[in-house]
Amino acid sequence: MADHLQLATDFAHAANRFVDLISNPADSPDTFSLRLLESLTQLYCAALSLPDAADVDPDLDFHRSTDDEWRTVYQNVANAFGERVHYWLTYDPIYPRDGSGDVVCGSLADDCADIHRDIIGP
């Protein structure tokens, strides 16, 4: 059980670093991009190491994210990236059967706000 506690603690630290970063992105867009990439990588690695959900106490009480918090994170990240907040990708759920794929616009601000909500809780 001590290993589970350490894995959960490592994830909590990575989650807190991510939340702190996107709550106050004071760096230039280039520096913020690098710090965000590093933070997301650490968060993802820590999440992959978490124990199965069946091993977690279901009675734990977590802070729940509000719509205002989501909007604040969205705006913080949008401001940090400025005009570079959007990206384009080919939407390909699994694979396009007809050889095509729709080109869609994504938003780093929306992505980060959604990850924040996933960490904090709905």
Side-chain angles (χ1 to χ4, degrees), residues 13-41:
H13 287 302
N16 285 333
R17 285 191 298 270
F18 173 79
V19 168
D20 289 345
L21 175 65
I22 63 172
S23 295
N24 188 22
D27 299 317
S28 70
D30 289 336
T31 302
F32 178 67
S33 297
L34 292 173
R35 291 183 65 210
L36 181 60
L37 179 60
E38 178 183 20
S39 179
L40 284 169
T41 302

Side-chain angles (χ1 to χ4, degrees), residues 2-64:
D3 287 337
H4 288 171
L5 180 59
Q6 184 60 53
L7 294 172
T9 300
D10 292 346
F11 176 80
H13 287 302
N16 285 333
R17 285 191 298 270
F18 173 79
V19 168
D20 289 345
L21 175 65
I22 63 172
S23 295
N24 188 22
D27 299 317
S28 70
D30 289 336
T31 302
F32 178 67
S33 297
L34 292 173
R35 291 183 65 210
L36 181 60
L37 179 60
E38 178 183 20
S39 179
L40 284 169
T41 302
Q42 291 170 352
L43 181 63
Y44 187 74
C45 288
L48 289 175
S49 299
L50 285 172
D52 291 335
D55 296 336
V56 176
D57 181 357
D59 295 324
L60 289 174
D61 185 29
F62 294 101
H63 168 76
R64 300 296 182 215

